[in-house]
Amino acid sequence: MAEAPKDADGRLVLDKPRWDQKTFEGRAKHFLNVTDPRNVLATAAQLEAAKKLVEQYRLGLEPKETSDEDVWQAKKLFDSAYHPDTGNLQFLPGRMSAQVPMNMMITGAMLTFYKTTPAVIFWQWVNQSFNALVNYTNRSGDAELSTNMLLKAYCSATGAALTVALGLNTLVKNFPPIVGRFVPFAAVASANCVNIPLMRQRELLHGIPVLDADGNKVGESKIAAKNAVGMTVVSRIVMAAPGMSLCPLIMNHLEKKAFMKKSPWLASPIQIGLVGIVLVFATPLCCAIFPQVSSISVDKLEPETQEMIRKKTDMTKVYFNKGL
């Protein structure tokens, strides 16, 4: 067990993650906690109790019998269900703890039913609907989106995914069957490049909060927003890659086996199971590629933001929440 951060009085520092976020290992452990699928089973009462204990501990009002492990378990549930900036309870399917079970079913279905046009249309629509929900739920800062912005992002991403999927399905008809199995990944990667920037367009247009080392807001920056969205796009594409590239290879091999030819109905549950196994590890590891609270040099911000910050402090870099 890693040593938890504590202050001079020996109390846990809950404003900092349990593990060192400067290292990939520390970030991976943190996101294994946040994306733990078991967190979705927590009831509303358990989440409220976890939030209450975290708030009590911050004020030094927790029950006397509370152990450090009790606090970290409460913090685990709290982090998995509440937005880090707004503190609002997130819609369950959009939480990061729901990523594995939701993506397991959707990705498994996309990889299984990729040959017919109706199936491609339906599952790409389901996937983009889910992605839009996740992107909105885990947007950075307290940015609100208008209905018009939401519809534009949703329709654009769904259109991009369908265009790529249907177009590539047509192009690969004369290629070996294994090539067609990678069409869903190409569609998902393309859609992520459209969906995430559009879903978070308000951040790109108006900027996101930039903070000092103590977490105090010192300004807003569009450049920081571009960095945040760019990192999110990369991590989402890399997150999808293992399940949507390894599983097709494995399934292509298995479908040549006698037991699969005898029972073709096994393809879907096997594929969904394989995707689930991969995602349990790929999701937290890919979330950990970039620090959740990332930094940027003040010199790289907009001139007006630089001027605003330098009137308040002589800091050389600021921090921002990149979103998920």
Side-chain angles (χ1 to χ4, degrees):
M1 178 69 68
E3 185 175 350
K6 293 187 176 183
D7 61 19
D9 297 324
R11 292 182 62 78
L12 299 175
V13 181
L14 298 186
D15 291 330
K16 295 182 179 180
R18 187 173 186 175
W19 295 278
D20 184 3
Q21 297 299 284
K22 293 179 181 178
T23 68
F24 177 77
E25 180 184 358
R27 295 195 296 273
K29 288 180 178 179
H30 170 71
F31 281 110
L32 276 168
N33 238 17
V34 174
T35 63
D36 187 339
R38 294 172 296 181
N39 292 341
V40 300
L41 301 176
T43 65
Q46 288 174 318
L47 293 176
E48 186 60 33
K51 180 181 181 181
K52 182 179 179 181
L53 180 55
V54 169
E55 292 174 344
Q56 287 178 327
Y57 192 85
R58 291 183 191 279
L59 298 172
L61 301 175
E62 75 281 1
K64 292 182 179 180
E65 66 276 8
T66 303
S67 67
D68 286 357
E69 191 59 32
D70 290 334
V71 178
W72 282 123
Q73 286 302 315
K75 186 70 162 47
K76 174 182 177 179
L77 281 182
F78 178 80
D79 287 344
S80 76
Y82 293 88
H83 193 281
D85 288 338
T86 66
N88 294 331
L89 182 64
Q90 297 172 315
F91 185 48
L92 194 150
R95 298 174 195 169
M96 291 307 293
S97 54
Q99 282 284 290
V100 171
M102 294 295 293
N103 272 323
M104 178 177 71
M105 293 183 287
I106 296 172
T107 303
M110 282 196 297
L111 293 175
T112 302
F113 309 110
Y114 66 93
K115 294 180 180 179
T116 67
T117 298
V120 169
I121 292 174
F122 177 74
W123 286 109
Q124 288 293 339
W125 167 72
V126 171
N127 186 53
Q128 289 313 313
S129 298
F130 174 64
N131 282 344
L133 175 63
V134 172
N135 293 335
Y136 178 74
T137 303
N138 294 284
R139 66 199 182 283
S140 177
D142 56 0
E144 292 296 332
L145 288 174
S146 68
T147 302
N148 184 54
M149 287 180 174
L150 284 170
L151 287 174
K152 181 180 178 182
Y154 174 69
C155 293
S156 298
T158 303
L162 290 175
T163 299
V164 172
L166 295 174
L168 288 180
N169 267 350
T170 301
L171 291 174
V172 303
K173 283 182 178 178
N174 296 324
F175 287 82
I178 183 62
V179 177
R181 289 183 178 274
F182 292 96
V183 169
F185 173 61
V188 167
S190 301
N192 273 330
C193 293
V194 175
N195 193 334
I196 296 172
L198 283 174
M199 188 60 64
R200 295 172 59 176
Q201 61 187 287
R202 191 181 185 286
E203 299 171 40
L204 296 172
L205 292 172
H206 301 286
I208 59 174
V210 289
L211 317 170
D212 63 19
D214 296 320
N216 302 308
K217 180 178 175 180
V218 294
E220 292 190 344
S221 170
K222 298 177 186 177
I223 293 175
K226 290 178 182 177
N227 285 6
V229 171
M231 288 187 284
T232 303
V233 170
V234 171
S235 62
R236 289 288 185 85
I237 292 174
V238 176
M239 189 187 300
M244 301 190 82
S245 57
L246 291 177
C247 293
L249 293 174
I250 295 172
M251 290 305 299
N252 191 62
H253 174 72
L254 290 179
E255 287 182 358
K256 297 175 183 178
K257 301 295 184 180
F259 78 95
M260 286 291 285
K261 291 179 179 179
K262 185 178 180 180
S263 305
W265 61 269
L266 288 172
S268 182
I270 289 177
Q271 185 128 245
I272 290 173
L274 286 172
V275 170
I277 292 170
V278 172
L279 286 176
V280 166
F281 301 99
T283 300
L285 293 179
C286 293
C287 284
I289 293 174
F290 302 105
Q292 181 64 34
V293 178
S294 298
S295 63
I296 183 172
S297 171
V298 172
D299 293 335
K300 294 181 179 179
L301 299 176
E302 300 90 331
E304 61 271 22
T305 305
Q306 291 185 38
E307 183 180 355
M308 182 190 305
I309 292 174
R310 285 172 176 149
K311 285 180 180 178
K312 302 176 182 177
T313 177
D314 59 355
M315 69 177 67
T316 57
K317 65 179 179 179
V318 290
Y319 303 86
F320 60 90
N321 174 20
K322 72 175 180 64
L324 286 172

